[in-house]
Amino acid sequence: MTNLQKFSSPQGGKTIILSIKPKYADLILAEKKTVEFRRVWAAEFVNTIVIYASAPVQKIVGVVEVSEVVTERPSKLWDYSRTRGGGLTRAELSAYMKGKTRGFAILLGEVVRFDGGIVPSRLIANFSPPQSFRYMTASEVRKLEKISCQANRQR
């Protein structure tokens, strides 16, 4: 079983690639940030997030399991940040959610880190970083499993 296959869900959840600032991606990979906040979220059930660290890193740096997704008022989301490690100050979260009546707290589970990262064009031809997120095809997920498996054997 590869590191990614353990995230496969019998419910058939989707895998998405999510653009995250390197500062926050590092906190997730270090398991210090266990909740990710979003102004918008996927309509379909998502069980796996592929972490794309945005500029200046611009690589896929890991994968994280989605434990739960909570929709709440921005003021209530702060409770999740404070108790679960959101990696944001109250002011940062408030500024991020400004103008929204509801936001999303994605509660994160098990993390797999890709040392050195993976250049996204190895998986996705003509890759363009998603503004928010992008569903991955089954073929792209299989490529990621293969590349991560090869990287593990080379270590």
Side-chain angles (χ1 to χ4, degrees):
M1 175 177 1
T2 70
N3 287 335
L4 302 182
Q5 287 172 329
K6 66 179 146 192
F7 293 141
S8 295
S9 163
Q11 292 84 17
K14 298 282 187 174
T15 297
I16 63 169
I17 186 164
L18 190 65
S19 291
I20 301 178
K21 291 179 181 178
K23 164 184 165 179
Y24 301 117
D26 288 345
L27 288 172
I28 291 169
L29 295 173
E31 299 183 46
K32 293 180 179 173
K33 180 176 179 10
T34 60
V35 59
E36 174 67 10
F37 297 101
R38 290 287 152 162
R39 294 169 54 91
V40 296
W41 188 242
E44 297 184 52
F45 173 69
V46 172
N47 66 330
T48 307
I49 296 171
V50 174
I51 302 168
Y52 171 77
S54 59
V57 176
Q58 299 178 305
K59 289 185 179 177
I60 294 169
V61 295
V63 175
V64 64
E65 171 188 37
V66 175
S67 295
E68 184 180 352
V69 178
V70 178
T71 307
E72 281 290 354
R73 300 180 326 275
S75 59
K76 185 73 174 161
L77 291 177
W78 172 246
D79 293 337
Y80 287 94
S81 184
R82 189 173 41 80
T83 59
R84 290 193 51 116
L88 299 168
T89 66
R90 188 175 202 151
E92 288 170 327
L93 181 59
S94 180
Y96 177 64
M97 291 291 169
K98 186 173 177 131
K100 296 299 262 184
T101 57
R102 312 248 338 128
F104 300 88
I106 294 82
L107 309 183
L108 306 174
E110 191 173 346
V111 176
V112 174
R113 175 185 210 110
F114 300 145
D115 293 331
I118 297 169
V119 176
S121 60
R122 289 185 66 192
L123 307 174
I124 303 167
N126 303 313
F127 177 80
S128 179
Q131 287 297 311
S132 179
F133 69 89
R134 174 191 176 283
Y135 292 105
M136 292 184 70
T137 67
S139 166
E140 292 165 349
V141 172
R142 282 191 301 274
K143 279 185 194 174
L144 181 58
E145 288 173 351
K146 185 177 179 181
I147 291 168
S148 67
C149 204
Q150 289 169 346
N152 283 341
R153 281 196 299 262
Q154 291 174 354
R155 278 188 231 146

